Amino acid sequence: MKIGYAVPAGLLAASLLFAGCASNDNNNNGNNGNNSNTSGNNAAAQTGNGATSSPSATADSTAATTADFTTAIDEYRKYVIEQCDEFVKQTEGFTDAVKAGKLEDAKALYAPARMYYERIEPIAEALGDLDPNIDARENDVDAADWRGFHKIEQALWQNNTTDGMTDVADRLLKDAQLLRAKVETAEIDANLLVTGAVELLNEVSSSKVTGEEERYSHTDLYDFVANVEGAQKIYELLKPELAKKDPALEQTIGERFTALLNELAPFKSGDGYVSYETLKEDEVRKLSQNLDALAEPLSNMGTILGV
Amino acid sequence: MKKKDKPSWGNAGTENELPKEDSKEQLLFDKKLSRRDMLRLTGASSLGLLLGGGGMGGILAARKAAGQAGQAGASPQHTGTDIIPFYGNHQAGITTPAQNFLCFAAFDLTTTKLSDVQKLLEAWTAAAAALTSGTLIGSVNDNPNLPPADTGEADGLTPSKCTLTFGAGPAFFDDRFGLAAKRPASFSDLPAFTGDSLEPQWCGGDLCVQACADDLQVAFHAIRNLARIARGTAVLRWTQEGFQRTGSADPAGGTPRNLLGFKDGTGNPDVTDEAEMRSVVWSGSADGPAWMNGGTYLALRRVRFRIEVWDRSTLSDQEATFGRHRQSGAPIGARDEFAELNLEAADASGKPVIPPDSHSALAHGDGSVKMLRRSYSYSSGMDLKTGQLDAGLVFISFQKDLMKQFVSIQQRLSKNDRLNEYMVHTGSAVFACFPGVREGGYIGETLLG
């Protein structure tokens, strides 16, 4: 919850131009010569090649001025809208069950509905108060302001009831609909894509891995997977540009997504995932380490933005 | 956006620091618009910030890169007595006089490809050369669109005698990497010793890095960045920090005291005596596989002291436990710290002056077996179960043969040492520390190359 994304588009464009003129090529990320590093920690690669990287003015200015993210941005907006449409639909099903007092139905619908939100969380975070209204956990906000999914989660799993949740359910659905309306106009630029992908994984790292996100329902793995899928979507969209700029990095990120998803696979159960409580300590640690292994090179995707 | 809010002026230094061989364009740029001019022109507006993040930052990075290239790699921007050379016949951090602080890290490899391990060691080598010379690692530290390659907390600090010592554990020679045939014959996990209370989270590891420095932040920075570089190839298995009295607290540089209050390391061999080091520490051509020539074996024991129990034992008990006087460090009955341990001396009633089961007597034995100790104290908060301090010793020794040296001494100690009452071994690991790295080479090259 933070980060204004509204300004940078214009600034960024100017910045790219300026960098092109100044032809400060040595800062061209040192990545061009890194093809050998397929195991590919990018920071390591930079270390290895930094001192010897030679200027490549042409390549740099070309990349900086011609990198065109229009397609990626359009595709991502399409994806966000699809996810939002489905999110509203699923949330409606969930809130209907809550209001009808169908406890078990509500429990079953809770985590799957949230996945549509978790995939596009950075967008929601960029849209003012929507994220806290929809997704705040107890103590994230003042008690009086607490609403949204986790308030209902507490009622369903801790208090084992839907009582008193009708208003919360109504507001949640309204917030979901508002999100759907707002994403039409959300400012999406290449910078948001790059930072958003990292942020999705940071979300996993700071709250899902620890089991804090879904402290009553223990459905953290649904969020975990959804965050990773959301980041993967962005990676897929930026992949062509990344392959041009730093093929080794592109390949490494791809491999690490595969590795992480393989780690997650055994925890599938039916259409969903096992309770986070059933994970053993070393299983959690391994997931966390695989996540860090992915997030590290992913955080270097900004290399496609030029300087 | 946060990163962009901060213009890079702070890193610019003065104009005088500009290397002469900077490209013409940079010089032109600097001439046209000095930093101050630019600030004035832009009035620190968003445009100014923009230039800071994009244009100027790039130039600063270019300048830094040019500087590094001009200095042929490892040459530091710092000079003076607080640099310990990274390259050499032997790794640093072994016969190097112990710095003030230790950060020790054991890693587990997550890859099963030997080529990945080699790449990791190559990347670690490049990083280590920078870390030990006080320069930022990597070339990308000013690009606003990327996380800086160096995490930055040691930026501007002196090298602080930072040394990084790398080794491989016995597990590295299992069936994962096809290196079983290269395992030195006598190199394996330590046998169980009487009284061991080892906890798995303090034991073993495929690789180790011993970071030592006169500044804890510098040592931590090294481990943190090496762990970061390893992501996707290796993960941390355990880490332990250590300390001893600092040089400034003890300008005379006396033998440091452990947390039991006694001097520790008095009987160490002389690291300046090359013949002695060859006979005690360095593995030679007659000692094992050729790839270990110039290397050595590290034994580490995490020893928790029963501090509260020790603190209520009498001074005479404490001295009899060590076989030395607490204040002077001299053997019981002697006045000079460095006096020979005379284990034959007896009092009027015929009792040995130095108890045969004292720590010094047992560790010394007949004096024929030596090792180079390089231990640090540790403090890891408190034991939540008992409310007692979790503090003790990160025992580290270097020797050319673990079995003949560390193990034979430790077997003696573990059975009879009076000190056992006041301590418990909670961690254990051994590593084959590679020979030194030549410039252009990489850590472990003799094994993997």
Side-chain angles (χ1 to χ4, degrees):
Chain A
M1 332 183 160
K2 31 48 220 290
I3 305 198
Y5 286 104
V7 210
L11 287 183
L12 186 64
S15 160
L16 294 176
L17 285 170
F18 190 87
C21 300
S23 92
N24 42 353
D25 341 295
N26 275 353
N27 196 27
N28 189 19
N29 314 328
N31 287 334
N32 296 334
N34 280 348
N35 308 11
S36 61
N37 189 320
T38 44
S39 88
N41 179 294
N42 205 36
Q46 289 159 8
T47 307
N49 295 314
T52 53
S53 74
S54 56
S56 52
T58 339
D60 189 44
S61 352
T62 314
T65 47
T66 60
D68 181 4
F69 299 106
T70 319
T71 317
I73 291 168
D74 288 349
E75 285 293 310
Y76 189 65
R77 187 183 298 282
K78 221 170 89 191
Y79 172 74
V80 168
I81 289 173
E82 280 166 15
Q83 294 296 312
C84 266
D85 282 339
E86 203 55 33
F87 175 57
V88 172
K89 214 163 101 190
Q90 302 272 336
T91 302
E92 190 165 12
F94 169 66
T95 52
D96 282 350
V98 171
K99 290 195 290 181
K102 294 178 179 165
L103 183 65
E104 291 312 315
D105 286 1
K107 281 183 175 178
L109 292 168
Y110 170 80
R114 289 180 44 74
M115 288 183 85
Y116 296 95
Y117 180 78
E118 293 286 341
R119 285 190 194 100
I120 56 161
E121 205 167 356
I123 298 284
E125 288 184 356
L127 295 173
D129 281 343
L130 280 172
D131 183 51
N133 289 347
I134 293 171
D135 199 29
R137 293 163 302 173
E138 194 175 16
N139 303 331
D140 278 349
V141 291
D142 288 344
D145 298 331
W146 190 34
R147 58 204 250 203
F149 271 108
H150 293 299
K151 179 137 183 148
I152 303 178
E153 180 204 3
Q154 186 190 42
L156 298 182
W157 273 274
Q158 184 168 283
N159 308 333
N160 236 2
T161 180
T162 55
D163 288 357
M165 285 296 119
T166 302
D167 287 352
V168 186
D170 281 337
R171 288 181 82 179
L172 174 59
L173 182 58
K174 272 195 195 118
D175 287 331
Q177 286 159 342
L178 187 58
L179 173 70
R180 171 62 188 86
K182 276 194 173 182
V183 291
E184 296 275 356
T185 56
E187 287 243 19
I188 301 177
D189 60 15
N191 202 348
L192 180 135
L193 293 186
V194 167
T195 51
V198 178
E199 227 163 79
L200 278 160
L201 297 190
N202 290 347
E203 278 283 328
V204 181
S205 198
S206 49
S207 63
K208 276 78 174 191
V209 153
T210 56
E212 287 167 47
E213 176 82 12
E214 308 287 0
R215 57 186 71 160
Y216 315 109
S217 64
H218 307 296
T219 54
D220 302 84
L221 277 174
Y222 289 78
D223 304 326
F224 192 134
V225 170
N227 283 161
V228 172
E229 287 171 349
Q232 193 178 24
K233 178 69 187 183
I234 295 174
Y235 159 69
E236 295 292 343
L237 292 174
L238 297 179
K239 203 165 145 178
E241 201 54 47
L242 191 57
K244 268 189 260 168
K245 183 90 180 188
D246 189 343
L249 180 63
E250 183 264 306
Q251 197 194 335
T252 301
I253 296 173
E255 287 169 2
R256 305 254 172 109
F257 266 117
T258 308
L260 177 60
L261 292 170
N262 285 344
E263 281 300 320
L264 283 164
F267 304 111
K268 268 191 190 141
S269 165
D271 291 337
Y273 293 87
V274 301
S275 162
Y276 206 71
E277 281 189 311
T278 65
L279 268 63
K280 296 190 194 78
E281 223 172 68
D282 60 324
E283 290 173 330
V284 170
R285 184 163 70 184
K286 206 154 179 216
L287 284 175
S288 172
Q289 287 167 333
N290 271 282
L291 182 85
D292 283 341
L294 165 64
E296 190 69 36
L298 192 80
S299 70
N300 279 295
M301 278 207 308
T303 187
I304 58 172
L305 298 177
V307 179
Chain B
M1 282 307 288
K2 266 204 181 110
K3 269 177 241 151
K4 282 185 193 164
D5 293 340
K6 215 175 234 170
S8 317
W9 318 128
N11 296 335
T14 63
E15 307 294 327
N16 297 340
E17 284 172 13
L18 263 179
K20 291 270 186 287
E21 58 277 77
D22 266 0
S23 83
K24 274 180 193 160
E25 276 162 285
Q26 287 165 40
L27 288 175
L28 261 180
F29 183 88
D30 282 313
K31 219 173 252 174
K32 271 195 227 151
L33 283 177
S34 76
R35 297 194 279 141
R36 214 169 285 115
D37 286 335
M38 192 139 56
L39 274 175
R40 194 163 52 233
L41 281 171
T42 59
S45 66
S46 59
L47 179 59
L49 298 177
L50 174 77
L51 294 173
M56 195 66 179
I59 285 168
L60 293 172
R63 188 182 297 165
K64 195 158 258 181
Q68 279 170 358
Q71 289 166 0
S75 296
Q77 63 195 15
H78 298 279
T79 52
T81 55
D82 71 346
I83 292 187
I84 310 286
F86 172 70
Y87 297 104
N89 291 330
H90 305 297
Q91 289 197 72
I94 297 167
T95 57
T96 310
Q99 299 92 322
N100 296 338
F101 298 101
L102 164 79
C103 275
F104 198 99
F107 289 86
D108 278 339
L109 288 158
T110 51
T111 183
T112 50
K113 284 191 284 186
L114 190 58
S115 58
D116 285 349
V117 180
Q118 185 183 336
K119 277 172 206 144
L120 171 65
L121 292 173
E122 284 169 346
W124 270 2
T125 305
L131 290 165
T132 53
S133 59
T135 50
L136 294 180
I137 63 172
S139 59
V140 183
N141 282 296
D142 297 272
N143 183 334
N145 292 322
L146 291 173
D150 188 300
T151 57
E153 71 270 33
D155 196 354
L157 303 183
T158 71
S160 305
K161 293 186 183 161
C162 180
T163 57
L164 297 167
T165 314
F166 298 84
F172 188 52
F173 300 91
D174 64 17
D175 53 8
R176 282 171 298 166
F177 306 105
L179 293 172
K182 294 198 171 181
R183 184 175 62 81
S186 65
F187 180 54
S188 55
D189 284 324
L190 296 173
F193 298 105
T194 312
D196 271 2
S197 184
L198 304 181
E199 298 164 31
Q201 71 266 31
W202 296 113
C203 293
D206 289 332
L207 297 172
C208 80
V209 184
Q210 173 197 260
C212 296
D214 278 345
D215 184 275
L216 185 54
Q217 185 147 319
V218 167
F220 172 82
H221 170 254
I223 292 298
R224 173 187 179 183
N225 280 274
L226 295 175
R228 181 186 183 201
I229 288 168
R231 255 162 231 161
T233 306
V235 293
L236 284 170
R237 181 181 175 95
W238 54 269
T239 67
Q240 179 64 59
E241 290 174 6
F243 60 93
Q244 56 166 326
R245 87 286 183 269
T246 63
S248 59
D250 183 11
T255 309
R257 292 179 188 275
N258 62 31
L259 297 184
L260 301 180
F262 278 73
K263 297 194 175 191
D264 194 343
T266 302
N268 244 348
D270 178 3
V271 294
T272 63
D273 181 340
E274 285 186 29
E276 175 96 319
M277 290 300 101
R278 272 199 302 277
S279 83
V280 175
V281 175
W282 304 124
S283 184
S285 48
D287 297 317
W291 68 264
M292 270 298 280
N293 274 356
T296 183
Y297 297 91
L298 179 158
L300 183 146
R301 304 283 286 182
R302 185 176 185 271
V303 183
R304 183 176 165 190
F305 289 155
R306 300 191 215 277
I307 287 203
E308 290 77 4
V309 175
W310 178 260
D311 290 348
R312 41 188 186 253
S313 60
T314 65
L315 178 61
S316 70
D317 266 355
Q318 292 186 1
E319 295 192 331
T321 299
F322 270 97
R324 289 181 176 274
H325 293 297
R326 185 170 98 148
Q327 201 273 323
S328 65
I332 293 178
R335 306 188 70 124
D336 174 18
E337 178 192 346
F338 298 98
E340 283 291 322
L341 266 185
N342 181 359
L343 300 177
E344 309 299 319
D347 62 16
S349 63
K351 257 176 54 186
V353 173
I354 298 173
D357 57 352
S358 67
H359 183 70
S360 294
L362 284 169
H364 185 267
D366 64 3
S368 63
V369 180
K370 294 177 182 172
M371 55 191 179
L372 177 63
R373 284 168 292 149
R374 208 172 180 285
S375 303
Y376 285 85
S377 296
Y378 82 83
S379 164
S380 294
M382 67 176 225
D383 182 331
L384 292 175
K385 243 187 264 169
T386 60
Q388 296 177 322
L389 285 165
D390 179 4
L393 187 73
V394 189
F395 172 92
I396 293 172
S397 69
F398 294 98
Q399 49 270 304
K400 66 197 291 183
D401 190 314
L402 283 165
M403 291 300 156
K404 287 183 189 152
Q405 294 169 279
F406 175 78
V407 171
S408 74
I409 294 172
Q410 184 55 29
Q411 271 168 346
R412 242 176 8 234
L413 289 170
S414 66
K415 287 199 185 95
N416 298 309
D417 189 357
R418 281 192 186 201
L419 195 52
N420 292 338
E421 189 182 338
Y422 302 104
M423 64 187 193
V424 54
H425 288 235
T426 57
S428 179
V430 289
F431 298 97
C433 294
F434 305 109
V437 189
R438 59 180 170 79
E439 271 191 70
Y442 64 90
I443 298 149
E445 190 173 12
T446 54
L447 175 62
L448 303 183

